[in-house]
Structures are given as structure tokens and as C-alpha cells.
Amino acid sequence: RSPTHGLILPGNFIEIAEQTGLIAQIGEWVLLEACKQQRAWQDAGLAPIQMAVNVSSMQFREDHLLAAVVAAIEQSGILPGFLQLEVTENLFMKNMTLARNTLEYVRGLGATVAIDDFGTGYSSLAYLKRLPVDELKIDKSFVMAMEKEQGDAKIVRSTIDLAHNLGLTVVAEGVETGAIAEVLAQLGCDEAQGYHYARPLAADAFQAWLAPKATVATAQAEAECGVLAFNQTEM
């Protein structure tokens, strides 16, 4: 939030941050603050929810990425199962071995991994079946065009079927109308996000919005994530 320019959206500064190398520092700060906020919501009485954090491909070039993930989990006090890292397909084009090894370690901690904006990058099935990921997020460009373009609707349907055949959860991005949400439900899409549900909210506003909607039992969620983290630690 700039005192002169107001709220500056990520699309206006992420590329500059990557070009200057500042993205690694920004990424670490975002990761830690996101985990702290997730813990704060739990302490406030909300049922635990998974916090997804975007990771730039530039961060994978830094040897301390994994240390940052571990530090964020430990300093915030969240269980690893409540953290998800979101990466884009282009990451795997740059260094498949490094990306796979890093994400396997992250999953070994108990956290999960999602491919963000799926369909806009290097969508290779050969790569997809080898990646240690748990979730696919269909890019909003396909989802938002479903009502008008049959081709986009077919892509969304095929992606959902493909992901499910690989044992992955599917999230549709950019859901802005009830009609699209209904179609996605009929297609078997697991989750959805977009303005149909809510606009971006500040932390306190989100807490007030979520509180009456939370239905997940805290004890059950903590038990499930705790077992996952414990088993991985034993290994």
C-alpha cells in the first residue's frame, strides 16, 4: 500500500521483484506472514483452514527456500498439513530435477503442493505424472469463458477428468457467477474460488466473513494433519 499510489496489485510489481532479485526476500516474508495469520485465525477460534502461498520460480534457485518453509512452520506454530505451496508449470521447464526434489521434501514435511494457473504454461502430461503435486488449479481464463466458448468448457471438463484419474484435487479459479459454479459442480470439480464467493478481504474482514461459514471440526482437522506430520517426522 503506497501512500501516494494506494494499493499496488501483484501484477504491477512481481515482475520487477523477480528482475531485481527481491522476490526471494518478499517470498520468505509472505510465507512467514501467511503462516502466522493462519495460526492467528486458529487462536481466534476459527476452524483450521489450509493456507496457500504462491512461490516464484526464482525462489527455487535459492538454497534457503526449504529452510524458509521449515522456519515459517516452526515460528508460526501451524501444523504442516495446513500449508500449501502453489507453483506454476513453467517452474518445471527450468529445472525439473531441482523442482521435483524440492517439492518432494516439502510434501515430506506434511505440506501439500498445487500447480497454479494450469493450462497456461507447459502442460505436458509426461511431466504431470512425475510431479509430486496434490492439486491442480485450472486457470481462470478457461473458467470465465466456459459459458460462451464450448472449447473452453471442454478443456475444463477434460482437465477435471485428467486430474481425478491422477488422484489430484481440482480447483477452478475465476468463478464469478452462480451459473459457472453450478456447471463446475456438475462436472465434479472439487473446489472453486472467485468473486462469486467473495472479493479479496483484509485479514480481520475475512475472519468475520468466514466465522459463520466454518463447518470443519477443529479437533478432527488438527488430528488428521497432526498424524500426517508425525508420520513424516518418523520417517
Side-chain angles (χ1 to χ4, degrees):
R1 291 185 179 274
S2 167
T4 55
H5 301 289
L7 181 62
I8 302 176
L9 299 178
N12 296 326
F13 70 82
I14 291 295
E15 184 177 354
I16 297 174
E18 291 182 333
Q19 292 173 353
T20 59
L22 289 172
I23 193 64
Q25 293 173 276
I26 293 174
E28 286 188 22
W29 177 83
V30 169
L31 178 63
L32 177 58
E33 290 300 309
C35 290
K36 286 182 177 179
Q37 183 60 66
Q38 203 271 7
R39 183 67 201 190
W41 282 328
Q42 286 190 42
D43 292 342
L46 291 183
I49 57 176
Q50 190 174 59
M51 179 69 80
V53 182
N54 294 93
V55 178
S56 167
S57 60
M58 296 287 292
Q59 292 177 258
F60 278 75
R61 301 179 188 178
E62 304 290 338
D63 294 336
H64 51 264
L65 174 61
L66 294 178
V69 173
V70 173
I73 292 173
E74 293 180 346
Q75 292 180 35
S76 65
I78 70 170
L79 294 171
F82 295 133
L83 173 64
Q84 180 178 86
L85 295 188
E86 292 188 2
V87 300
T88 61
E89 299 165 87
N90 293 331
L91 166 68
F92 305 102
M93 293 180 61
K94 297 179 179 180
N95 193 326
M96 178 65 174
T97 300
L98 174 62
R100 186 176 64 245
N101 291 343
T102 301
L103 296 179
E104 284 179 347
Y105 184 90
V106 168
R107 293 182 79 205
L109 293 173
T112 61
V113 177
I115 296 183
D116 196 17
D117 302 331
F118 185 76
T120 60
Y122 190 67
S123 305
S124 168
L125 299 184
Y127 276 80
L128 186 58
K129 70 178 183 179
R130 296 165 52 194
L131 299 179
V133 298
D134 305 276
E135 187 172 280
L136 287 188
K137 303 189 72 174
I138 305 174
D139 187 72
K140 63 182 181 181
S141 61
F142 300 111
V143 176
M144 296 174 69
M146 284 179 59
E147 289 183 301
K148 297 181 179 179
E149 299 292 338
Q150 286 298 316
D152 291 279
K154 291 178 180 178
I155 289 174
V156 171
R157 181 185 298 108
S158 298
T159 302
I160 293 173
D161 291 341
L162 169 65
H164 286 168
N165 286 334
L166 293 174
L168 305 178
T169 300
V170 187
V171 179
E173 300 178 301
V175 179
E176 296 193 352
T177 68
I180 290 181
E182 185 176 344
V183 171
L184 288 167
Q186 293 173 354
L187 294 177
C189 189
D190 302 294
E191 300 173 6
Q193 67 182 61
Y195 290 170
H196 172 62
Y197 305 99
R199 296 270 174 171
L201 300 170
D204 54 349
F206 176 78
Q207 180 175 330
W209 176 86
L210 181 65
K213 300 176 177 62
T215 58
V216 180
T218 301
Q220 178 182 356
E222 287 186 342
E224 291 175 353
C225 289
V227 168
L228 178 59
F230 176 76
N231 288 342
Q232 297 293 355
T233 301
E234 276 195 323
M235 294 171 63

